[in-house]
Amino acid sequence: MLSENMQNALNGQINKEIYSSYLYMAMSMYFESEDLSGAASWMKTQALEELAHADKFMRYVNERGGRVVLEALGKPDSSWDVPLDAFDGALKHERFISASINDLVTLAREEKDFMSDNFLQWFVAEQVEEEASVSEVLRMFKLAGGAGGGLLMIDRELGSRVFTPPAAE
Ligand code: OFO
């Protein structure tokens, strides 16, 4: 059985994961409006992945006899001037999510909730990938200088990303 503290913290994380999806969907729509269909598709894939993360947390709370409570979502940003700004925002957001996962692990250890600690290790590893993949795209955008043929090449490459549900990884 989850402690009330842990249950509340996990519900908070579920909200953050669904918000991540909302934010990346907003970024996807921004890229679509900029005629960057590859980046739009990359971000839509990321939005789906975030929903899969939320689902993983929700199933875990239920498995441990807890109660999932869905809270209101914040309004995501939508004011990016150039494509690079959106990926910069995505990296900042992923660092925030990593810190939040670290806080959950700290709480699990303080409470000697080793089941939650073990469950959370999947997310600790996932955040290494999340930060790395966004950083890589950001680097590519910086190299391309934000315009011209380089940008189109990056956009084509980003369009090749496909969604893989976590369970199938
Ligand atoms: Fe769920 O990892 Fe990104 O936010």
Side-chain angles (χ1 to χ4, degrees):
M1 186 82 186
L2 290 170
S3 73
E4 201 179 328
N5 241 352
M6 181 55 79
Q7 177 178 291
N8 290 343
L10 289 169
N11 274 319
Q13 189 63 33
I14 289 165
N15 185 271
K16 286 175 189 151
E17 298 291 345
I18 297 176
Y19 173 82
S20 300
S21 181
Y22 210 28
L23 174 65
Y24 294 144
M25 196 54 84
M27 288 180 179
S28 174
M29 291 304 107
Y30 160 71
F31 286 127
E32 212 167 278
S33 73
E34 293 288 308
D35 291 326
L36 292 167
S37 61
S41 160
W42 194 98
M43 275 298 175
K44 199 174 269 183
T45 300
Q46 188 65 26
L48 291 174
E49 202 173 288
E50 298 301 350
L51 285 183
H53 290 171
D55 185 58
K56 213 171 166 77
F57 274 108
M58 289 191 284
R59 279 185 292 120
Y60 176 72
V61 170
N62 277 343
E63 262 169 25
R64 294 288 314 280
R67 174 65 58 97
V68 171
V69 179
L70 297 178
E71 301 288 350
L73 291 174
K75 183 180 177 194
D77 200 357
S78 60
S79 55
W80 304 285
D81 291 329
V82 288
L84 189 108
D85 287 350
F87 273 97
D88 201 41
L91 182 59
K92 285 196 181 90
H93 183 68
E94 283 309 321
R95 287 180 177 153
F96 163 73
I97 293 293
S98 298
S100 179
I101 298 284
N102 289 346
D103 287 346
L104 286 173
V105 174
T106 303
L107 178 64
R109 291 183 183 178
E110 278 168 5
E111 293 194 348
K112 296 194 185 337
D113 179 353
F114 299 115
M115 290 176 182
S116 292
D117 186 358
N118 183 54
F119 166 76
L120 288 164
Q121 291 312 307
W122 185 90
F123 285 95
V124 171
E126 176 70 2
Q127 282 312 118
V128 175
E129 254 184 62
E130 292 279 272
E131 286 191 29
S133 63
V134 177
S135 295
E136 194 190 329
V137 178
L138 195 54
R139 242 188 337 267
M140 291 195 301
F141 270 104
K142 279 182 181 161
L143 278 173
L151 188 61
L152 289 179
M153 266 176 63
I154 294 167
D155 191 57
R156 196 168 311 137
E157 190 172 329
L158 293 180
S160 64
R161 181 183 182 191
V162 289
F163 175 61
T164 313
E169 278 170 358

